[in-house]
Amino acid sequence: MAGGGRGLDETATWSVALVCAIIVVLSIMLEKMLHHVGHYLKERHKVGLLEALEKIKTELMILGFISLLMTFCQNYIAAICVSKVLTKDFLPCKKQPEGKPPLDDDDAADARRKLLWYDQRRLGGDGPPKECKPGYEALITVSGLHQLHIFIFFLAVFHVIYSALTMIVGRAKIREWKVWEKDILQQQASAHDPSKFRLTKETSFVKGHATKLTGLPVFFYIICFFRQFFTSVGRSDYFTMRHGFISVHLAPGSQFNFQKYIKRSLEDDFKVIVGISPLLWSTAVLYLFANVEGTHAMIWLSLFPVVIILAVGTKLQGIIAQMAIEIQERHAVVQGIPLVQVTDKHFWFLDPTLILYLIQLTLFMNSFEITHFFWIWYEFGLDSCFHEKPLLQYGRVLIGIAVQILCSYSILPLYALISQMGSKMKRSIFDDQTSKALKHWHKNASKRRESKGRSGHLPTKSIKLNSPSGNAQAHGAPPSTDSPTQSAHIVASVDIPQDKQKSNGSTPNLL
């Protein structure tokens, strides 16, 4: 058979069946594993993580489509010829003069053996590629397509792994706040004077962030820049942000577990971080385009994740400092925990989610840097032309590890807390049970309204919803005996048909 190997017509049937069976079994095992993980998350009511898992499945499907497309079209792409005038420049390595063999060392010999094997490998079984006329050459060879195929697979896998590691470390950091939340709930349950929550005469929150130097515009962001390396979220920061959130969105003094709410909110954000949007794929394409020999573009591009994550960390620390300065400027006598102003004006372009997308971009660019290093190592060796300056390449890896640690342990938990200081609540304020009850009740109410065909304004009644760990209950309905004590006192107005009010005398139980 042409193409340097025997085909299926010359291969033993048992070997064909064995290889096919192994591939099918591995695929089924992966599918079952993802299914069991999804079932576990569904039983634990981890809605955010379950959606993130669906996002990962989507990325795997995209990878499979890319693999199928490249496998099917590789010989057709390799048959495209372009002028050598267009391909003589923009090379990642210096082109070897014709007739001059490359350096004869072990790594170069191994690379040549790999490239020779790739040239002989024909997944489509169409034999050798089409020869181009003089002055022209292939747009990209089959061996180049195979190497690109491996790189895309590495990039997607590394991005998912890096995002998962970031989430695991961030959740571990947020878990430490559980002790602080427990202290607050115990103090509220004791029915003592809330003024005891005041840490000092000059509150620790203002004292720690609104210093004399931070009041000067010249030193404001300089101090915030260095502060992100030494502290992420302090006890007074957590107490103050929690107090501001509950005072604005819930009833003061509510028995609301703020730490669980932040954890669920971060799980919802994880499905954004783990995804690879078209913008991120475009960033990878630009990285590959800029990798031209002599420009050291990959070295300079490796600094982009550092710049972005440091800017995000500085901004988050700046938001906390600005809140502390605003409290100090009001010259109000605070009793207990100071009340911060919850607003979107502190965030870039009045959009708190912009910071989340910048974190996603940073993690993707960082995973690209690490993936590119290991891909070059796997395909060409450490002493290839891509690594002419090994110290700089090793520096890229160290920078990537430092960015990963800073983002996981400091920036992401800080974002999870500060993002709650926007003007809007996130949907994770309700637990899965309460959300389903509201949707079910709203659906039934809409059906009854349509069936009666009544028009005009209908009287309203209020629905009191318990905390994210509780149930939903209508005013006028008998209280549930198994209702938890933690109540967020959220009030929502809903329309009840007049005939139902007269016949039943109370609103329906949401559960």
Side-chain angles (χ1 to χ4, degrees):
M1 175 182 175
R6 55 195 174 99
L8 294 180
D9 56 339
E10 301 176 355
T11 306
T13 56
W14 69 266
S15 60
V16 176
L18 177 62
V19 172
C20 182
I22 292 176
I23 295 175
V24 171
V25 168
L26 291 178
S27 301
I28 293 177
M29 288 177 60
L30 176 61
E31 191 275 334
K32 292 296 182 181
M33 182 185 69
L34 294 177
H35 175 75
H36 286 300
V37 172
H39 185 70
Y40 171 79
L41 295 177
K42 188 175 182 179
E43 286 185 343
R44 299 290 299 273
H45 303 289
K46 301 292 185 180
V47 181
L49 294 181
L50 185 61
E51 293 180 356
L53 180 63
E54 293 298 326
K55 181 79 71 173
I56 293 176
K57 290 181 180 180
T58 303
E59 299 300 333
L60 292 176
M61 183 185 67
I62 294 176
L63 280 180
F65 181 76
I66 292 175
S67 177
L68 179 63
L69 189 63
M70 295 184 70
T71 300
F72 180 78
C73 299
Q74 63 177 2
N75 289 326
Y76 299 100
I77 297 175
I80 300 175
C81 298
V82 295
S83 175
K84 291 185 178 181
V85 178
L86 300 176
T87 59
K88 67 178 182 179
D89 298 323
F90 290 93
L91 298 176
C93 295
K94 292 182 180 179
K95 195 170 185 178
Q96 293 289 341
E98 295 184 2
K100 181 180 179 181
L103 296 177
D104 190 15
D105 55 3
D106 294 338
D107 293 330
D110 181 67
R112 286 199 306 273
R113 286 193 297 269
K114 282 185 178 181
L115 292 177
L116 179 61
W117 183 79
Y118 291 147
D119 284 331
Q120 294 175 346
R121 187 174 180 266
R122 297 290 181 267
L123 294 178
D126 292 336
K130 172 186 174 182
E131 294 292 338
C132 296
K133 60 183 181 181
Y136 288 80
E137 64 181 6
L139 176 65
I140 185 172
T141 63
V142 175
S143 63
L145 281 172
H146 182 70
Q147 292 168 347
L148 182 61
H149 190 178
I150 294 178
F151 175 76
I152 293 176
F153 177 79
F154 276 19
L155 178 60
V157 172
F158 268 76
H159 175 65
V160 172
I161 294 176
Y162 264 62
S163 300
L165 289 176
T166 303
M167 177 59 61
I168 291 173
V169 177
R171 281 172 55 89
K173 180 66 176 178
I174 293 177
R175 194 175 293 113
E176 298 177 359
W177 305 348
K178 190 175 182 179
V179 178
W180 302 341
E181 184 69 25
K182 185 178 180 181
D183 292 343
I184 296 178
L185 294 177
Q186 287 179 349
Q187 294 288 351
Q188 291 180 348
S190 63
H192 287 178
D193 187 356
S195 62
K196 68 182 300 183
F197 289 139
R198 185 178 184 185
L199 304 177
T200 58
K201 182 178 181 180
E202 183 181 5
T203 61
S204 300
F205 177 74
V206 176
K207 185 178 180 180
H209 296 282
T211 61
K212 293 182 179 179
L213 292 179
T214 53
L216 301 176
V218 179
F219 297 99
F220 180 81
Y221 282 107
I222 296 178
I223 296 176
C224 293
F225 173 81
F226 288 102
R227 185 174 289 165
Q228 64 181 315
F229 300 107
F230 301 101
T231 180
S232 175
V233 177
R235 182 184 178 93
S236 61
D237 301 337
Y238 179 82
F239 280 23
T240 305
M241 301 301 166
R242 181 188 185 278
H243 179 62
F245 178 87
I246 293 179
S247 299
V248 173
H249 297 298
L250 307 175
S254 300
Q255 293 285 326
F256 177 73
N257 196 316
F258 188 57
Q259 188 264 346
K260 286 186 177 180
Y261 165 66
I262 292 180
K263 187 171 65 174
R264 283 195 303 269
S265 177
L266 187 61
E267 292 174 356
D268 291 339
D269 293 336
F270 180 59
K271 67 177 182 290
V272 177
I273 295 176
V274 78
I276 304 180
S277 63
L279 177 62
L280 298 184
W281 283 116
S282 302
T283 304
V285 173
L286 291 177
Y287 266 55
L288 294 175
F289 175 76
N291 188 24
V292 181
E293 189 272 332
T295 60
H296 304 293
M298 299 304 293
I299 304 298
W300 295 107
L301 290 175
S302 64
L303 299 178
F304 279 12
V306 182
V307 174
I308 294 176
I309 201 64
L310 291 180
V312 169
T314 303
K315 179 61 178 178
L316 293 175
Q317 291 289 345
I319 292 175
I320 298 179
Q322 186 63 38
M323 290 179 175
I325 292 175
E326 290 177 355
I327 294 175
Q328 191 179 39
E329 289 176 349
R330 286 197 295 263
H331 298 292
V333 178
V334 295
Q335 184 179 12
I337 302 175
L339 181 62
V340 296
Q341 184 179 4
V342 178
T343 176
D344 288 340
K345 73 175 185 179
H346 297 303
F347 298 91
W348 284 320
F349 303 103
L350 306 178
D351 187 8
T353 60
L354 178 60
I355 296 180
L356 178 64
Y357 291 113
L358 290 177
I359 294 176
Q360 180 196 26
L361 178 61
T362 300
L363 292 177
F364 181 80
M365 296 172 68
N366 193 47
S367 62
F368 181 94
E369 293 293 331
I370 303 298
T371 302
H372 188 266
F373 176 83
F374 285 104
W375 174 69
I376 294 298
W377 187 2
Y378 173 79
E379 289 288 344
F380 307 100
L382 289 177
D383 297 331
S384 65
C385 60
F386 290 93
H387 293 168
E388 292 181 348
K389 297 182 178 180
L391 292 180
L392 293 179
Q393 301 301 329
Y394 299 149
R396 289 173 55 193
V397 177
L398 294 178
I399 290 176
I401 295 175
V403 170
Q404 182 71 22
I405 295 175
L406 180 63
C407 182
S408 303
Y409 196 74
S410 178
I411 304 300
L412 189 62
L414 184 60
Y415 159 78
L417 179 64
I418 301 301
S419 61
Q420 313 305 328
M421 297 299 102
S423 303
K424 299 178 181 179
M425 290 188 300
K426 297 184 178 180
R427 69 171 188 173
S428 52
I429 188 71
F430 303 110
D431 65 351
D432 185 59
Q433 183 181 7
T434 305
S435 299
K436 288 182 179 180
L438 283 173
K439 292 178 182 179
H440 181 69
W441 182 89
H442 181 266
K443 183 178 180 180
N444 292 337
S446 300
K447 287 182 178 179
R448 287 195 300 268
R449 181 183 302 175
E450 293 175 359
S451 63
K452 297 301 180 181
R454 296 183 178 275
S455 59
H457 178 72
L458 299 177
T460 63
K461 284 198 174 185
S462 3
I463 302 292
K464 185 178 73 172
L465 304 177
N466 284 347
S467 67
S469 59
N471 302 324
Q473 182 180 332
H475 281 297
S480 177
T481 56
D482 57 349
S483 176
T485 57
Q486 297 182 0
S487 176
H489 301 288
I490 306 174
V491 178
S493 295
V494 294
D495 294 332
I496 307 298
Q498 295 178 356
D499 57 333
K500 290 294 180 181
Q501 288 189 71
K502 295 177 181 178
S503 59
N504 297 335
S506 63
T507 58
N509 196 318
L510 295 183
L511 298 181

